Amino acid sequence: MTFEQNTLPCSYFTEKKPLLLENGTSIDELTVAYESYGKLNKNKSNAIIVCHALSGDQFLASKNPITNKDGWWDRMVGPGKPIDTERYFVICANVLGGCIGSTGPTSIDPKTNEAYGLSFPVITISDMVNAQIRLINHLGIEKLLSVIGGSMGGMQVLEWAASYPDRLHSAIPIATSSRHTAQNIAFHELGRQAIMADPDWNNGNYIKLGTSPTKGLSIARMTAHVTYLSEASLTKKFGRRLQDKKEISFGFDADFQIESYLRHQGLTFVDRFDANSYLYITRAMDYFDLEKTHGKSLTEVFEKTKTRFLIASFTGDWLYPPSENLMIVRALSAGGVDVSFVNIESDKGHDAFLLDEPEFDVAMTGFLDAVSKEIKV
Amino acid sequence: MSNKRIDLELITSLVDRETRVLDIGCGNGELLDSLKRKRKVIGQGLELKQERVNQCVARGLSAIQGDADKDLGLYPNQSFDCVILSQTIQATGQPKLILTELIRIGKKAIVSIPNFGYWKIRLSLAINGKMPVTKKLAHNWHDTPNIHLCTILDFINLCKELNIKIEKTIILSSNKTKSYNGIPNKFSNLFSEEAIFLIKS
């Protein structure tokens, strides 16, 4: 599924100034699709950017026009919620390389008047952040109150703080990592191989040829989805229960509820996501390695930064486990950076950061409140 | 708890203004908050219980959830001007290791202990023949988090063994306090309920 630029109900920012990319090439025309909530105050000091994860989008706290479901972090962002839109002006932009309105492989290449497809340059997390910088420049925001994000969103937060320490007062990286581990890369490779093995992928030219690699993309999603959960949450939710039957079928239909659930996850994903975009974004995450990009140790990357950090991890998260988050805490502490760390008890896996975890809400509310008092918002 | 406040005030008096302070076992951040207001320190807390870390964060303090027995390796050598361990050492698994960690991390350290050599505790054990339960040490032997209780003398001896210098001692008993440069006199092990030590490597 692809979405034409400017067809979704959200804000758009387009700039015809080349965006220089980490791989040395550039994008001539940048479009950023974004949503905002709340009001920007007079001195523009109450702005927060929330960075979305791999399969997220700009519909953070408003109905998603594609799925007709609530925004992906509706429980966290809104009036009276931890990220309180009555106090803060909250921006969420579709990432560079995405497929929900921002420039990505489904966009039209102005040079050829055709969709980029695989001719789209390979982008990185820092390219995504540079696109967001363009957006806040356009909105006239000098310094953000906070940059917040989980998973890939957390990687963007770290990159924000590492490259633009003067543009944010605080950073909240959640359930994330300062570099992709071999296991992280392995799971992404499974997904990419599934997409590329689908004959309808047509070497990435499926838009032009009118095919759609739905099988491959849905298998990619199924694999990834398992990594967002935990054994405990799968057992609790599904156990070995059978789907609409009393006995096993001695066949390969979806006998078990978990199979049926995963198939559903895969099928609904292809309605809202583009296969090439999935390749590009997973690649950006795999390439993420703050120490390598910045050519120094993690401690040196953040040394003496004035940015205040709140880092959160979840005990049941095995994709970006507490130990990975603690490594960042360690480096920040060593660099004399003001850092708080909460490790939330949860058996819900990586997805816990999106789910109901009251302890996490308390930390988020308190931290943002303290930062806004400190900078006198 | 008026007595607790005195304890915190005495510790506050030992902390220099505008320095970097690490409070290990910071609880809900009461001491850090007071240090931030009265001494303008840059404070950081380490606390085991998630709920208390949240309380710290909610009052605008920086705190990390972690275990004093496992996570002191987080902090590099001499990264704080002062490290505080208030009424916590008796609940740690390896007090000896922690003591050396304190003066590795901090240019100085403040340690406060409940004194198990206090005469009321001695008397209680002598008369009743049971592990003493007092206002300060309010647990039964089987459910107490205080697994490494010591006396003032024990603490002084351990510091000697580890070549740690005791610069100052403040002893407390029933709201009376007395300050010593170096170690306290020999009677304090009998007559004080609590002691605060300022130590250096």
Side-chain angles (χ1 to χ4, degrees):
Chain A
M1 181 65 77
T2 62
F3 304 99
E4 291 297 318
Q5 267 168 25
N6 303 320
T7 57
L8 289 168
C10 66
S11 305
Y12 290 88
F13 153 67
T14 297
E15 198 172 43
K16 286 200 170 149
K17 196 170 106 192
L19 178 74
L20 198 65
L21 302 175
E22 200 179 325
N23 76 353
T25 65
S26 62
I27 287 170
D28 294 336
E29 193 179 317
L30 171 72
T31 295
V32 179
Y34 67 99
E35 272 283 56
S36 63
Y37 309 89
K39 272 204 178 111
L40 188 60
N41 63 11
K42 240 188 194 159
N43 45 13
K44 300 188 174 182
S45 63
N46 68 335
I48 291 174
I49 278 199
V50 175
C51 305
H52 69 71
L54 165 58
S55 62
D57 48 48
Q58 63 273 38
F59 302 106
L60 169 72
S62 47
K63 187 144 270 180
N64 186 313
I66 305 161
T67 61
N68 266 321
K69 285 184 177 160
D70 286 343
W72 59 269
W73 223 10
D74 198 63
R75 56 165 299 280
M76 183 63 81
V77 186
K81 293 178 183 172
I83 304 174
D84 189 348
T85 51
E86 275 166 3
R87 293 178 68 182
Y88 312 121
F89 176 66
V90 185
I91 308 157
C92 185
N94 184 212
V95 293
L96 178 70
C99 53
I100 324 282
S102 289
T103 305
T106 62
S107 308
I108 302 298
D109 181 352
K111 282 189 193 121
T112 60
N113 269 329
E114 281 177 6
Y116 277 104
L118 286 197
S119 70
F120 193 74
V122 170
I123 42 117
T124 64
I125 298 290
S126 63
D127 295 331
M128 292 176 183
V129 169
N130 286 333
Q132 291 165 13
I133 286 278
R134 291 276 183 93
L135 173 64
I136 68 154
N137 286 346
H138 160 75
L139 296 172
I141 298 163
E142 195 56 46
K143 197 163 183 176
L144 293 157
L145 172 73
S146 196
V147 181
I148 306 171
S151 200
M152 181 181 85
M155 297 174 190
Q156 295 165 65
V157 174
L158 293 173
E159 178 56 32
W160 261 94
S163 290
Y164 301 99
D166 298 336
R167 304 298 299 267
L168 71 167
H169 288 286
S170 70
I172 312 184
I174 304 157
T176 192
S177 173
S178 64
R179 81 272 191 271
H180 240 208
T181 62
Q183 178 176 258
N184 295 143
I185 297 168
F187 279 111
H188 276 174
E189 177 61 1
L190 287 178
R192 284 190 295 264
Q193 286 299 330
I195 289 168
M196 294 189 285
D198 187 331
D200 286 337
W201 181 62
N202 278 315
N203 292 315
N205 271 324
Y206 53 88
I207 294 179
K208 202 172 160 188
L209 297 170
T211 58
S212 180
T214 51
K215 271 263 149 45
L217 181 58
S218 67
I219 294 169
R221 174 63 173 174
M222 287 163 79
T223 329
H225 198 79
V226 177
T227 68
Y228 305 151
L229 306 172
S230 67
E231 192 190 6
S233 63
L234 286 173
T235 303
K236 208 183 274 174
K237 215 167 169 180
F238 308 105
R240 290 185 52 82
R241 282 189 292 281
L242 301 177
Q243 180 70 26
D244 302 326
K245 56 185 74 167
K246 288 209 170 72
E247 297 296 334
I248 51 171
S249 71
F250 292 98
F252 299 105
D253 279 346
D255 277 1
F256 295 100
Q257 283 183 6
I258 176 63
E259 294 173 300
S260 161
Y261 170 81
L262 279 182
R263 288 180 189 191
H264 175 77
Q265 287 296 326
L267 281 176
T268 51
F269 188 61
V270 301
D271 291 337
R272 66 179 179 92
F273 220 85
D274 172 69
N276 283 339
S277 206
Y278 196 87
L279 300 182
Y280 278 94
I281 298 175
T282 54
R283 207 63 183 141
M285 293 171 77
D286 290 348
Y287 283 168
F288 185 64
D289 181 347
L290 267 184
E291 291 190 321
K292 187 160 186 300
T293 310
H294 292 265
K296 40 189 167 182
S297 77
L298 206 50
T299 299
E300 288 165 339
V301 170
F302 294 110
E303 204 159 25
K304 300 217 167 76
T305 180
K306 293 271 185 292
T307 309
R308 281 187 69 172
F309 283 78
L310 170 64
I311 294 178
S313 62
F314 298 84
T315 55
D317 182 352
W318 55 273
L319 192 61
Y320 301 106
S323 56
E324 285 292 317
N325 293 273
L326 201 56
M327 205 169 87
I328 306 165
V329 175
R330 204 169 290 236
L332 289 169
S333 296
V337 179
D338 187 337
V339 54
S340 287
F341 170 62
V342 293
N343 187 24
I344 308 289
E345 193 75 42
S346 162
D347 65 0
K348 297 186 187 115
H350 178 57
D351 264 354
F353 84 90
L354 297 168
L355 304 171
D356 186 33
E357 294 290 352
E359 283 290 315
F360 178 42
D361 296 356
V362 175
M364 177 74 90
T365 311
F367 181 80
L368 285 177
D369 187 54
V371 173
S372 37
K373 274 183 187 143
E374 199 174 277
I375 62 168
K376 301 189 174 68
V377 170
Chain B
M1 295 242 298
S2 61
N3 212 12
K4 175 89 180 155
R5 298 236 171 255
I6 288 176
D7 176 28
L8 297 187
E9 264 170 42
L10 291 172
I11 293 176
T12 305
S13 74
L14 294 174
V15 174
D16 298 323
R17 291 181 69 84
E18 293 170 30
T19 51
R20 271 175 60 79
V21 175
L22 173 66
D23 185 4
I24 299 168
C26 63
N28 64 9
E30 197 180 359
L31 175 62
L32 274 178
D33 201 36
S34 140
L35 287 170
K36 203 175 161 187
R37 279 184 290 107
K38 293 181 185 156
R39 285 281 185 273
K40 309 271 174 239
V41 304
I42 302 169
Q44 169 85 257
L46 182 76
E47 168 59 41
L48 190 60
K49 291 218 169 78
Q50 180 54 53
E51 200 188 325
R52 293 186 189 156
V53 176
N54 277 345
Q55 287 168 342
C56 290
V57 173
R59 66 205 284 182
L61 302 166
S62 297
I64 289 175
Q65 199 216 359
D67 185 340
D69 274 315
K70 290 183 204 146
D71 295 324
L72 292 184
L74 269 177
Y75 306 101
N77 296 348
Q78 306 286 290
S79 51
F80 286 88
D81 297 303
C82 181
V83 181
I84 299 170
L85 191 68
S86 165
Q87 302 280 327
T88 302
I89 198 164
Q90 77 282 357
T92 62
Q94 301 188 66
K96 199 168 165 178
L97 185 73
I98 285 182
L99 217 48
T100 46
E101 280 291 85
L102 292 187
I103 51 162
R104 176 188 66 78
I105 299 165
K107 291 172 187 150
K108 62 180 190 183
I110 298 168
V111 182
S112 77
I113 58 160
N115 177 25
F116 210 70
Y118 184 47
W119 68 269
K120 279 191 184 171
I121 292 179
R122 297 192 199 191
L123 198 64
S124 163
L125 179 60
I127 292 176
N128 301 320
K130 293 191 295 188
M131 283 303 282
V133 177
T134 65
K135 237 189 243 169
K136 286 250 148 111
L137 301 167
H139 294 87
N140 287 303
W141 69 271
H142 51 82
D143 63 8
T144 181
N146 302 322
I147 50 173
H148 282 127
L149 286 160
C150 69
T151 69
I152 288 178
L153 206 55
D154 288 327
F155 186 84
I156 292 171
N157 286 341
L158 182 60
C159 286
K160 230 179 250 167
E161 186 190 323
L162 295 170
N163 276 326
I164 291 170
K165 201 172 147 205
I166 297 175
E167 293 236 313
K168 227 178 204 177
T169 309
I170 303 175
I171 55 161
L172 287 87
S173 56
S174 49
N175 291 346
K176 273 185 219 141
T177 67
K178 200 167 178 195
S179 214
Y180 296 87
N181 284 321
I183 59 170
N185 71 25
K186 57 185 175 180
F187 300 110
S188 22
N189 194 31
L190 190 58
F191 293 112
S192 49
E193 275 184 278
E194 215 179 314
I196 302 167
F197 299 94
L198 178 66
I199 58 175
K200 269 186 183 174
S201 57

